[in-house]
Amino acid sequence: MGKPGFNICLGPDSVLLKEHINSLLAAHGPGPETGSPAGADSPARRNGWETHVFWGDVPLGEAFWEKLTLQGLFAQPRAVILRNAQNVPADGLKRVSTALGSISGQIWPFLCFEVEFEYGKIKLPAHIGKLQCVQFAQKQGWYREIPPLPARDVRNFVQAEAKRQNLSFTPQELDALAAHMQPDAGTIRLELQKAALACPPESGGRLTPEALAMLNYQADMDIFAFLQGLQSGRNPGAIWTQCMKDHASSADSGLFSFRAMLLREARIMWQILAGEPTSKMPQ
């Protein structure tokens, strides 16, 4: 079975997106017959594919369009990955969509829309859902929504990631780690890498008490999520409890951000009432 013409990947967790792309590249390795030397591997290659990553946060330059549309002299198979594609302006996405209609078989594009899930469904802007490439990918089975790591899977992911990094700990320590780790694959991976660096060489990958003590990751309070929670009126007591807990555990807490925002808004209101110019406000 041949590889897809292109792939649309959607989800908020960059680690899970990367693993999905790597699994596809591994399943459709080009092999030596397409010009990729057997066993060749380098930072710029994944499973025999010459890989080029671009970002939708910056304007797509000539390098992107060349890699996407131009076939090299030796027809080297290459994967072109566009991260944060949701940040590409609408006209740029339409141009990408048009280009995907005539892509060489030696080029494998991946469009990654790194957007959040809401109530179990992907939160995709309407103009993206209307793109021809997105609708075609859905029909062809080239469209994949990758939800964030469920809380129930955190323990298994911590265990698998620790094994990948040659780290070991007791089942009790695993339970304790999983209980406070955030359900985010990238965060878990970074935390375990941090612990691995803290382990002395003679430990043989066994996490020491000192290294375990470093794994105290707590997510910073999202000030906008905090405000939305207050505005919703749902369980304000729990929201304020979390806010005060955050304030007690951090010298640079979200409560200071909240107070600074209130102060700024009050100052702007005062300026408006006093008839003073507010140059930083939209007319």
Side-chain angles (χ1 to χ4, degrees), residues 244-265:
M244 297 310 296
K245 185 184 297 183
D246 169 81
H247 178 61
S249 63
S250 173
D252 185 23
S253 73
L255 186 59
F256 286 120
S257 300
F258 179 56
R259 291 168 59 188
M261 185 176 293
L262 286 182
L263 180 62
R264 176 181 179 275
E265 295 296 318

Side-chain angles (χ1 to χ4, degrees), residues 21 33 57 75 93 98 110 151 173 206 211 213 219 230 241 263 267:
I21 291 174
E33 71 277 8
D57 308 271
L93 282 176
T98 300
F110 292 86
E173 290 169 342
R206 175 70 174 86
L230 289 181
T241 298
L263 180 62
R267 184 182 292 114

Side-chain angles (χ1 to χ4, degrees), residues 33 51-52 58 60 83 100 138 152 154 158 168 190 192 212 241 268 272 274:
E33 71 277 8
T51 305
H52 303 271
V58 296
L60 299 178
R83 297 279 310 273
L100 292 178
Q138 290 173 332
R152 65 178 181 273
V154 168
V158 171
S168 63
L190 288 174
L192 291 178
L212 284 168
T241 298
I268 290 173
I272 292 174

Side-chain angles (χ1 to χ4, degrees), residues 117-134:
F117 273 66
E118 202 169 80
Y119 304 110
K121 295 182 179 180
I122 200 75
K123 188 179 179 182
L124 192 64
H127 74 281
I128 295 177
K130 294 178 181 177
L131 290 170
Q132 289 186 353
C133 65
V134 172

